[in-house]
Amino acid sequence: MGRRYQRDPSTVIALADCNNFYVSCERVFRPSLERRPVIVLSNNDGCAVARSNEAKSLGIPMGAPYHQVKPLCDRNGVVVLSSNYELYGDMSRRVVSVLARFVPEIEVYSIDESFLNLDGESDPLGFSHVIRNTVGRWTGIPISVGLGPTKTLSKLANRLAKKGEGGCFLVKPEDRQVLGAVEVDKVWGVGRRLALRLRRIGVRTALDLATAPSSAIRSVGGVTLERTHRELGGLRCLSMEELPQPKKNTCSSRSFGRPVEDLKDLEEAVANYAAKACGKVRGEGSLASGIQVFLTTNRFREDLPQYANSATLAFDEATDDPIRIVTNAKALLHSIYRKGFAYKKAGVILLDLVSSKTKQALLFAEHEDVGRRNFIRAMEQVVATYGPNAGFLAAQGVNRSWSMKRENRTPRYTTSWEELPDVACGSTFREVVACDFAAVSDD
């Protein structure tokens, strides 16, 4: 199919993907975990969301509930860690900052993936090896780089790069043998259900998808699948996005570390979620036109009474004021709270986000409270300088006994002054960070 489209042979997109990212972040500061089976658990230590290659070889599946694989982990000495999102987020920013040094155009696709525009590069594969080695040397995070004339091909190449020894792989539309060895459900944008429908018309591999008639592909998956079909043929349909598209809604939600029945604890949780969601909105330069609060019990506990509800409020004027948002979130919580239930989860959604640059004020609105605006900015500066515990609203509470369970969380090495590793004079960093932590032991 590739010959049917005109392509510039110099156009190359690279996908840089961090290998086993959460585990790799932990290994940067604990080199004793190298070559050992390691898994990282999700919120409340529920499921395995990251696995080292050694853990994968033991047969621990992605997303497996920890209570199911715990006997296997105990028998094989698997190191089990809780999610350390503060560390992972900061390490992600460091990786992106290194990648951005090499290219003029970068799209941060996820916490561990970034697309790089290598158009015009005379030796993109060799250049990718330089990028990969630099990221590994400067951050300690191993990455794989997949290259292709389109995003879909670079995504496919990245999958193959992870399996190879070099860590970098280039796929072109004319590489029929490579495309023919990839199952269709492994192609970016083709899920399990869509793969079943494709197999019914004889499309079983990436090569089949690339060479199938466009009309047949469109009849199965519409325009979206046809776009994937054309990208496999070398026609660039997905452009680079240096700036992420503004969100329409934003949600902040967590499962509680224990069942929560008391209204006061729920108020603290909802206030924290509302403040966090508001922080996201302010960081994007947006305003919220409405707010929704929801809470639910544990649907898996059939022995307990079940209840779930939500409430929504439309603001008369779009806002990013955390005090106003927290106040309204607590009011909505009061309207849906019912006694006698053990709640498992609550959350806050800020709705219909609009740009703060196009704010529509009310005709008869009072003048803006400048003092309150300055107070919020001052609190944000304190938090940015000294950390989230240095400044917060009283409604967010102090003890927060409802917080999600992270019993095996390692220190937040790069974002907390209190948890910085001790470095002895004259020793290299990686020689001194293999220490004993109270939360998790290597033994």
Side-chain angles (χ1 to χ4, degrees):
M1 172 182 170
R3 296 188 178 88
R4 284 185 276 164
Y5 299 99
Q6 292 183 349
R7 299 185 304 276
D8 182 353
S10 66
T11 59
V12 177
I13 291 179
L15 176 64
D17 187 5
C18 302
N19 300 340
N20 307 323
F21 181 56
Y22 290 178
V23 173
S24 296
C25 290
E26 301 288 354
R27 283 176 166 173
V28 169
F29 298 92
R30 297 186 63 189
S32 59
L33 296 180
E34 296 285 352
R35 295 181 296 278
R36 295 186 58 181
V38 181
I39 63 172
V40 177
L41 302 178
S42 62
N43 295 342
N44 291 307
D45 295 342
C47 304
V49 293
R51 306 157 295 157
S52 67
N53 291 333
E54 296 80 4
K56 294 176 184 177
S57 65
L58 292 175
I60 300 176
M62 184 66 168
Y66 176 56
H67 68 88
Q68 293 183 1
V69 298
K70 187 176 184 303
L72 177 62
C73 293
D74 293 340
R75 288 195 305 270
N76 293 276
V78 177
V79 179
V80 181
L81 303 175
S82 301
S83 298
N84 190 342
Y85 297 119
E86 298 86 351
L87 174 65
Y88 308 150
D90 188 67
M91 293 300 291
S92 174
R93 287 189 289 272
R94 293 170 186 242
V95 170
V96 170
S97 69
V98 178
L99 294 174
R101 290 172 174 261
F102 290 93
V103 292
E105 189 177 8
I106 181 172
E107 176 188 338
V108 180
Y109 181 67
S110 67
I111 192 173
D112 61 346
E113 293 178 291
S114 294
F115 287 104
L116 314 176
N117 191 340
L118 301 186
D119 287 352
E121 179 63 40
S122 58
D123 182 16
L125 191 58
F127 189 53
S128 297
H129 282 288
V130 174
I131 295 175
R132 180 174 184 269
N133 293 335
T134 304
V135 171
R137 186 169 63 253
W138 289 9
T139 69
I141 302 295
I143 68 170
S144 298
V145 183
L147 302 100
T150 67
K151 281 186 173 182
T152 302
L153 285 171
S154 68
K155 189 82 172 177
L156 187 148
N158 188 273
R159 174 182 289 273
L160 300 175
K162 288 180 178 293
K163 298 179 180 180
E165 295 182 359
C168 300
F169 199 85
L170 172 64
V171 173
K172 299 179 180 179
E174 54 268 25
D175 295 335
R176 299 176 65 88
Q177 185 175 357
V178 173
L179 295 176
V182 178
E183 293 293 324
V184 70
D185 59 347
K186 304 300 181 184
V187 175
W188 187 36
V190 179
R192 184 172 55 184
R193 293 183 179 179
L194 197 54
L196 290 175
R197 298 173 62 186
L198 287 170
R199 289 190 178 101
R200 290 173 187 156
I201 63 171
V203 176
R204 301 182 179 277
T205 67
L207 179 62
D208 295 336
L209 180 57
T211 56
S214 297
S215 57
I217 298 302
R218 180 187 281 263
S219 66
V220 172
V223 176
T224 302
L225 185 60
E226 186 180 9
R227 188 182 296 121
T228 300
H229 157 72
R230 295 194 175 194
E231 285 241 327
L232 287 174
L235 180 65
R236 189 175 292 185
C237 299
L238 303 174
S239 61
M240 295 282 294
E241 297 179 5
E242 293 187 80
L243 295 176
Q245 295 297 316
K247 300 177 181 177
K248 297 299 182 183
N249 304 307
T250 189
C251 177
S252 178
S253 175
R254 288 285 187 276
S255 296
F256 303 131
R258 59 172 178 80
V260 175
E261 299 183 15
D262 187 61
L263 177 60
K264 182 180 178 181
D265 289 338
L266 288 173
E267 285 181 332
E268 286 187 0
V270 167
N272 275 274
Y273 301 152
K276 184 175 182 180
C278 186
K280 294 180 183 178
V281 168
R282 291 175 64 86
E284 296 171 357
S286 300
L287 304 171
S289 302
I291 182 173
Q292 181 181 91
V293 175
F294 64 88
L295 76 169
T296 180
T297 55
N298 189 348
R299 59 188 177 90
F300 297 105
R301 290 292 304 273
E302 298 180 355
D303 57 318
L304 297 176
Q306 299 294 310
Y307 174 73
N309 204 348
S310 64
T312 305
L313 172 69
F315 296 131
D316 54 2
E317 181 182 13
T319 182
D320 64 353
D321 184 343
I323 298 177
R324 182 183 179 190
I325 288 175
V326 168
T327 300
N328 282 282
K330 290 175 63 177
L332 291 176
L333 173 66
H334 279 260
S335 70
I336 60 177
Y337 170 75
R338 300 291 183 271
K339 284 187 176 182
F341 295 96
Y343 295 99
K344 177 63 175 177
K345 186 177 183 179
V348 173
I349 306 176
L350 298 183
L351 306 167
D352 298 329
L353 303 183
V354 297
S355 174
S356 58
K357 297 179 181 179
T358 58
K359 179 179 180 180
Q360 180 67 48
L362 297 177
L363 181 61
F364 300 105
E366 298 180 359
H367 293 294
E368 185 178 6
D369 188 339
V370 178
R372 180 149 141 181
R373 182 184 62 190
N374 292 337
F375 164 74
I376 294 172
R377 288 179 178 175
M379 187 173 68
E380 288 179 336
Q381 291 176 356
V382 170
V383 170
T385 304
Y386 300 105
N389 292 328
F392 53 87
L393 301 177
Q396 296 178 245
V398 178
N399 295 326
R400 303 176 187 175
S401 59
W402 45 267
S403 297
M404 66 178 180
K405 181 172 63 175
R406 291 196 288 179
E407 295 178 350
N408 293 339
R409 179 182 65 79
T410 52
R412 295 163 293 184
Y413 305 99
T414 62
T415 59
S416 174
W417 286 106
E418 293 77 16
E419 300 177 22
L420 284 174
D422 295 328
V423 180
C425 205
S427 300
T428 64
F429 181 76
R430 289 184 68 84
E431 287 174 342
V432 298
V433 293
C435 356
D436 244 353
F437 300 115
V440 182
S441 171
D442 286 340
D443 299 327

